[in-house]
Structure formats: structure tokens, C-alpha cells
Amino acid sequence: MAPTTSTKPLILVTGATGMIGFRSLVLALQAGNRARIVYRRAGQPEKIKATKSIQPFLNEIQFVQITDITAPNAFVNAAKDVDYILHIASPVFDLGEKDAAVQRDWQTEFYDPAVQGTLCVLDAALGSSTIKRVVITGSVIALEPKEGTKVAGPTDLRALPPADFIKNAPNPGMAYIFSKVLSHNAVNDWVKQHPKIHFDVVRVLPGFTQGPNELLTPADIASISSASTAAVLNAALGEVTDVPMAGVQVHLEDVARAHVVAMDGQKVKGGDVLICVANNGVGWRWDEVAEIAKQVFPEEVKAGVFSPKPGQADMEMAFDVTETYAALETPFKGMEEMVKDVVGQWLEFKGQQVKA
């Protein structure tokens, strides 16, 4: 963290080694900011610096290693002289897990990083007088419609089951959901307990995020099948199940845009919650996604690389995205672009593009 005389705003970014965090970092740099990037493991800074999008900004980034984001005072030094914090780091789960029913220590794997990691960021911001705003990434899965309604708004938090059930969640997907609600509640409580803080807090809640991950190489092709992108890829491959899957998709670029806009006090008020779901907050049914895959990659379908078919069970969800759409000002990307980008990256890595 070498000193600098630059007048550009300095942003502390967590989670930049992940898909959403990295793309948000890139857009933040393109918008005229500098970045202090938190990383955990050796080699991660080099991977970020090697990407094409970062090349113009190598003099605008710095790195700080924090191996345990739940440790007391973990972010205190990293938050010094920072103008904004984008706290995007949080546990995720592998959609392709084969041992989903195996019991694990969810407290250590999900709940502590999601809750304590976020509270450590807020505590550090409290001790840094330069910070104007903290933007925290959550998930739409933390919300659910109020009884008698079908659309969830920014304050409609999902109800949690008893503590014993949370502790012994039956699978990582459910533990992930609980971690998002627990973190959201913890932030609300922290803000109430600190009514006179010198900065404000904004939340960004993405839906099922789809897009190309620039940090991946062909050797990482399996990651496309384990991240949120697996859902769109599976629709193209024709891998359907009777397990309902939420169709509240959103393009990675729009989620990253929301993070950058969330720092703009002229467009987003302190305390706002930006819900990021395309197609007016409802996304697309998976049968529609399969049909779009046929249209986008007709030659690959003819060649048998893809076999899109209907039948994937849907989980109906809908969200009020009015504030988000107004703040971002330009329309969200559609499913055709999501399919083109996710499946296109997989094809590139697989070397199976078929020329007409």
C-alpha cells in the first residue's frame, strides 16, 4: 500500500478474484477510480494483473493480503485513506457438487465469512474518516414476497427457520441462502446500532448472474459448470432436472454497473437496495433459455454439440427492480446476450465452435 498523490478516488475492493468482483473492479477503474484489492492467496494478484482489462490500469491498483476476513480488525489497515468500499467477497457454493447432502460445518464455511466478514468491513470503515460509502453485495435470495403478494421489494426479507435448522442445513444451497439472510440482517442491525456514522451503506442484490469470467482460462472450463453460469450452460446442453430452479437471471455487466453506480450519491441514496434482475425483475423460464440457445448456436445444435430441450422445472420468483433500473438509466441486457457470452466462453475453451 504505497502512498500516492493521485486525486482519483480510492476504492477498497473485496472479492475481486471472483466473477462479479473482478468485473466490478474493471468498471470502477474505467470510471476513473483507483483500487486497493484484497486477496487471500498467493498468486491471485498476478492473475488479476495478467488480464487484458487491467492492463491500462496497472498503475492505479494496489494489493493487500487478508487471509482471514473474519479476524478482528482484519480490514483496519486496508481501509486507511479509502474513499469507498466495495465488499463483494462472500462464500458461494458449487452448483455441480455431487456430495450436496453431506453434512458440513456451515458456520465456518458460510455463516461466519458472510456475517463476521461483513461486520469486520463495517467496523474498519468506522475507523477510517475518509470513507464516504460502503457498498455490500448480497443476493436476491435473501428476499421473498410478503404474504398475499407475488413480487419481493428491497425490504422484504426472507424469514429464517429455527437456529437448529440453520446450523444443520441439509445442503450447501440452503446454507448459502441462510448466509445471505443472516448477513443482510446483521448489516441492518449494525446500522441501527451506529446511527451517527460518517458514511452510508448501500446494498446490491444480484439475481442468477450470467456472463463471461475473464479470470478463467481453458484449464478452468469446469468452473463454468460450477458457478451460477452452470444454469445457462446446462440449458444449452439439455441437462434438465425436476428440481425447480429460479429463473431470475441477470447479465454480469449489469451487476458490475450496479456496483459502480451504487457509489454515486447523486444517483443512489444511502440505505438504498439495488435489486439486479433482468426482464423487469422476473428473468426467463428455463424452457425459454433452451429455445434461445437453439437460435444463438444453430450450427452447434446441428452438430450435436448442444441438445437444448424443455423440461427444466422453474421456481417462480419476481422482484421490484424499479429503483435499480432508474439508477442505471440504460436497459439491462437480455437472455440472448447471456447465452452468447456464457456458452460462447465454454465453446471457446472447449474448442468446439462450428462454422456455418
Side-chain angles (χ1 to χ4, degrees), residues 105-124:
D105 180 4
W106 306 130
Q107 190 69 40
T108 301
E109 187 174 346
F110 283 99
Y111 307 149
D112 284 346
V115 176
Q116 297 304 321
T118 302
L119 295 180
C120 283
V121 167
L122 290 170
D123 287 341

Side-chain angles (χ1 to χ4, degrees), residues 175-197:
Y176 169 81
I177 293 173
F178 295 155
S179 76
K180 293 303 183 184
V181 182
L182 289 167
S183 177
H184 203 106
N185 285 339
V187 172
N188 285 348
D189 291 342
W190 189 95
V191 171
K192 289 177 183 177
Q193 292 163 10
H194 299 81
K196 297 182 179 180
I197 53 177

Side-chain angles (χ1 to χ4, degrees), residues 23 45 49 51 56 71 100 106 117 122 143 147 150 159 173 176 198 202 216 224 254 256 279 287 325 340 344-345:
R23 192 58 192 165
K49 288 190 288 186
T51 60
W106 306 130
L122 290 170
L143 307 177
E147 187 174 352
K150 294 183 177 181
Y176 169 81
H198 61 276
V202 171
L216 300 183
I224 302 176
D254 293 319
N279 199 21
D287 284 0
Y325 282 28
K340 190 179 298 182
Q345 185 174 40

